[in-house]
Amino acid sequence: MSNPERLIIFDTTLRDGEQSPGASMTREEKLRIAKALEKMRVDVIEAGFPIASTGDFDAVRAVAEAVSDSTVCGLARALEADIDRAGEALRGANSGRIHTFIATSPIHMQQKLRMAPDKVVEQAVWAVRHARNYTDDVEFSAEDAGRSDPEFLCRIFEAVIDAGATTINVPDTVGYAMPAQFGETIRQLMERIPNAHKAVFSVHCHNDLGLAVANSLSAVKNGARQVECTINGLGERAGNASLEEVVMAVRTRPDYFACDTALDATQIVPSSRLVSSITGFPVQPNKAIVGANAFAHESGIHQDGVLKSRETYEIMRAEDVGWSHNRMVMGKHSGRNAFRTRMQELDILFNSEEELNDVFRRFKELADKKHEIFDDDLRALVTDAGFRAEHERIKLISLKVCSETGETPHAGVVIAVDGEERSATALGGGPVDASFKAIESIIGSRVRLQLYSVNAITSGTDAQGEVTVRLEREGRIVNGQGADTDIVIASAKAYINAHNKLAQAPERAHPQQGDV
Ligand code: KIV
Ligand code: ZN
């Protein structure tokens, strides 16, 4: 396709992605992901919901100040306080967008908002006008548009475009839409709304029926020119449309789509790894584009075909989406300068020389145990619980486990709680279970373990295991991570990391719960 139109990629990993259970991120973590998204040439980065908490506000502000090539967006309900907070958080942005929304489906208007449709239109128009006091780049979303009356959507969208909205977003909030039907809705809206040409039409699809990408692509085929998506398809419940799948579908099929993105696709795999290690959401091996098996050919017939001609079984090249980026970079003889340079290339920045020295020391320890160190090992060094652990309440001092055929495994653990060393032993169904029980007997935290998963960061039996532990207490959910060549130690680190996060997790508002 010559001169394809531009498809705007709006990434919401830092906002909707963060609404996944336990995926909340610190300011530093958001900054690292935002820099990776900017490097990938994402058009719009939705950095958070500034009114949710002081931490969220600070994170959006920090991203707005750090990113210059992408537009930085803040979410706001159609409320004065939300919009003011978003406007303030985005003040330092080179290019800032306010994304305001209100629900439009009968069920949401009646049950959640308890507002009449006329009042919803009035509030939406007021919100867009108010947001325009801060920026010319205002996006309006009709929450639950997938279940809204198309007539009502036409009415509210026409009104908000008149009020100054420059992007009109059609979210399938609950993942209810079907591809052909959703595409048709977009086409009809764009045809029927008289001022539709003054705004970019966008979609935001959830994956409850596994159709988020299909629905997004159908919308693109029918005229949408912005897709809201997340790295690895992270997001509320079953997640959002996955950025990598949308981008590569459009790029691989220029014969079908009349548009393309500005994305540097070689940054896809590194970004996927980064998001996975920060949030603790592993990528399934058979996940399209970024799964470990996405480009692995196992059957002899396939391998033979690929060796003779790549196109036989490959529609994309692994290196085009960044698979070659996980380079073997270092070994035990690598020096501090080489280490610092590679960390900079990976956008891993240190707050001080002490921090760099600490991670370099742990890199050396790892290099003693593991012959080859890959980029993913380096990333794990900083997402691992040990990094910046000096401020944490609970620290792992030592762990000893005994596991023997025919015997009940037992663990002896020493941890420091608020600087005071305490020890305990426990029996368990396995060494990890025994370790968790020993730690729990010291902390007495009454948590519920919701998820435990182990992932090998690289290949080989000396690979580091990256463990995610999800804990819940009184409705609050956190993910803890730990990495180590010994997976029992990695598990204990992850368990302690989750406990530390539970102790810190601040109260924050959820954008889609509450009054407006
Ligand atoms: O799913 C949704 O409707 C949202 C809106 C806030 C855009 O995330
Ligand atoms: Zn959403």
Side-chain angles (χ1 to χ4, degrees):
M1 172 78 49
S2 58
N3 287 331
E5 283 177 37
R6 173 74 162 265
L7 176 64
I8 296 168
I9 295 298
F10 176 116
D11 180 279
T12 183
T13 306
L14 301 179
R15 199 277 297 169
D16 214 318
E18 203 194 21
Q19 288 171 216
S20 312
S24 83
M25 298 168 226
T26 64
R27 198 175 74 119
E28 274 65 35
E29 289 167 341
K30 281 197 166 191
L31 273 171
R32 281 180 63 205
I33 293 178
K35 291 304 279 179
L37 295 173
E38 183 185 31
K39 191 168 177 182
M40 191 158 56
R41 298 207 286 269
V42 158
D43 300 284
V44 187
I45 299 172
E46 187 164 52
F49 177 47
I51 198 144
S53 69
T54 317
D56 288 72
F57 176 86
D58 286 344
V60 176
R61 184 166 59 183
V63 171
E65 284 167 3
V67 165
S68 52
D69 295 343
S70 310
T71 294
V72 178
C73 175
L75 184 70
R77 290 166 296 188
L79 292 173
E80 186 170 10
D82 282 38
I83 294 167
D84 291 344
R85 204 72 178 131
E88 212 179 308
L90 296 169
R91 207 197 306 253
N94 193 23
S95 161
R97 172 181 295 188
I98 295 179
H99 175 191
T100 186
F101 74 98
I102 193 163
T104 53
S105 62
I107 185 169
H108 275 230
M109 290 192 288
Q110 282 158 21
Q111 308 291 329
K112 182 173 94 161
L113 302 179
R114 296 180 199 282
M115 275 167 86
D118 286 352
K119 181 80 188 114
V120 169
V121 177
E122 194 184 303
Q123 182 93 17
V125 166
W126 179 88
V128 168
R129 285 212 182 102
H130 190 57
R132 284 292 301 242
N133 292 328
Y134 290 97
T135 170
D136 291 344
D137 190 349
V138 174
E139 170 168 336
F140 172 76
S141 281
E143 190 191 6
D144 204 18
R147 292 188 298 172
S148 300
D149 173 12
E151 292 294 329
F152 185 60
L153 288 179
C154 286
R155 181 177 158 210
I156 197 165
F157 287 153
E158 182 180 349
V160 293
I161 295 171
D162 269 345
T166 45
T167 301
I168 292 298
N169 186 37
V170 187
D172 180 25
T173 304
V174 292
Y176 179 74
M178 291 291 136
Q181 193 182 34
F182 193 61
E184 181 59 18
T185 301
I186 300 299
R187 197 179 60 77
Q188 294 255 341
L189 289 173
M190 292 181 68
E191 272 173 20
R192 289 176 53 192
I193 297 172
N195 53 4
H197 60 283
K198 293 188 182 162
V200 172
F201 274 69
S202 164
V203 288
H204 172 113
C205 297
H206 278 272
N207 207 28
D208 300 68
L209 292 171
L211 293 171
V213 170
N215 285 330
S216 304
L217 293 174
S218 175
V220 171
K221 184 70 180 165
N222 283 280
R225 285 296 175 264
Q226 173 177 287
V227 172
E228 302 197 355
C229 44
T230 56
I231 303 284
N232 300 335
L234 199 68
E236 189 92 49
R237 306 181 309 279
N240 289 66
S242 120
L243 176 145
E244 56 279 6
E245 293 177 24
V246 169
V247 167
M248 291 316 291
V250 169
R251 193 154 288 177
T252 306
R253 294 298 306 271
D255 58 317
Y256 187 76
F257 292 104
C259 54
D260 195 8
T261 71
L263 225 86
D264 174 0
T266 64
Q267 296 303 317
I268 284 179
V269 169
S271 303
S272 159
R273 293 299 179 94
L274 179 67
V275 169
S276 168
S277 69
I278 285 179
T279 58
F281 275 70
V283 175
Q284 75 194 55
N286 56 332
K287 164 87 176 62
I289 322 288
V290 293
N293 293 353
F295 292 88
H297 300 269
E298 214 192 342
S299 107
I301 301 168
H302 284 209
Q303 272 181 6
D304 185 49
V306 171
L307 288 176
K308 285 186 181 135
S309 162
R310 291 183 80 133
E311 290 77 35
T312 324
Y313 284 102
E314 276 188 10
I315 56 165
M316 293 167 279
R317 297 186 321 163
E319 53 272 37
D320 291 348
V321 294
W323 272 103
S324 53
H325 279 239
N326 186 27
R327 289 188 287 135
M328 197 281 279
V329 280
M330 298 188 153
K332 65 192 280 181
H333 300 297
S334 302
R336 199 162 163 286
N337 277 342
F339 174 78
R340 184 204 293 268
T341 306
R342 189 65 199 141
M343 291 305 243
Q344 271 165 359
E345 283 164 5
L346 294 174
D347 293 318
I348 299 171
L349 304 175
F350 298 101
N351 290 325
S352 62
E353 280 302 292
E354 290 76 61
E355 223 172 65
L356 169 74
N357 290 341
D358 173 46
V359 183
F360 184 61
R361 180 184 51 74
R362 294 194 298 112
F363 157 72
K364 284 289 185 183
E365 281 168 15
L366 178 63
D368 274 339
K369 293 187 247 171
K370 191 171 184 290
H371 189 51
E372 299 167 320
I373 307 284
F374 293 82
D375 285 344
D376 284 344
D377 290 312
L378 296 181
R379 288 194 187 94
L381 280 177
V382 290
T383 36
D384 174 46
F387 185 51
R388 297 190 179 118
E390 72 272 23
H391 308 299
E392 294 190 333
R393 258 198 83 210
I394 311 166
K395 287 181 206 167
L396 178 67
I397 306 292
S398 68
L399 173 66
K400 186 174 169 188
V401 287
C402 186
S403 181
E404 195 181 338
T405 35
E407 296 293 325
T408 305
H410 63 268
V413 66
V414 182
I415 59 176
V417 182
D418 293 326
E420 187 195 327
E421 281 198 17
R422 296 163 65 181
S423 60
T425 57
L427 298 172
V432 172
D433 187 42
S435 309
F436 285 13
K437 284 185 172 136
I439 295 168
E440 185 58 31
S441 74
I442 300 174
I443 308 174
S445 62
R446 305 176 326 279
V447 291
R448 223 162 49 81
L449 179 70
Q450 284 200 335
L451 175 139
Y452 168 78
S453 87
V454 190
N455 233 2
I457 293 179
T458 54
S459 52
T461 47
D462 67 348
Q464 290 195 83
E466 192 169 43
V467 175
T468 300
V469 165
R470 183 176 303 158
L471 298 181
E472 186 264 346
R473 188 174 59 201
E474 291 158 12
R476 200 176 267 185
I477 298 172
V478 293
N479 287 337
Q481 282 117 275
D484 202 285
T485 48
D486 180 323
I487 57 164
V488 184
I489 295 177
S491 304
K493 284 178 175 178
Y495 192 61
I496 288 174
N497 180 235
H499 275 286
N500 281 323
K501 283 189 178 171
L502 259 187
Q504 288 160 10
E507 282 298 346
R508 60 205 303 242
H510 184 292
Q512 287 154 278
Q513 281 153 13
D515 290 342
V516 172

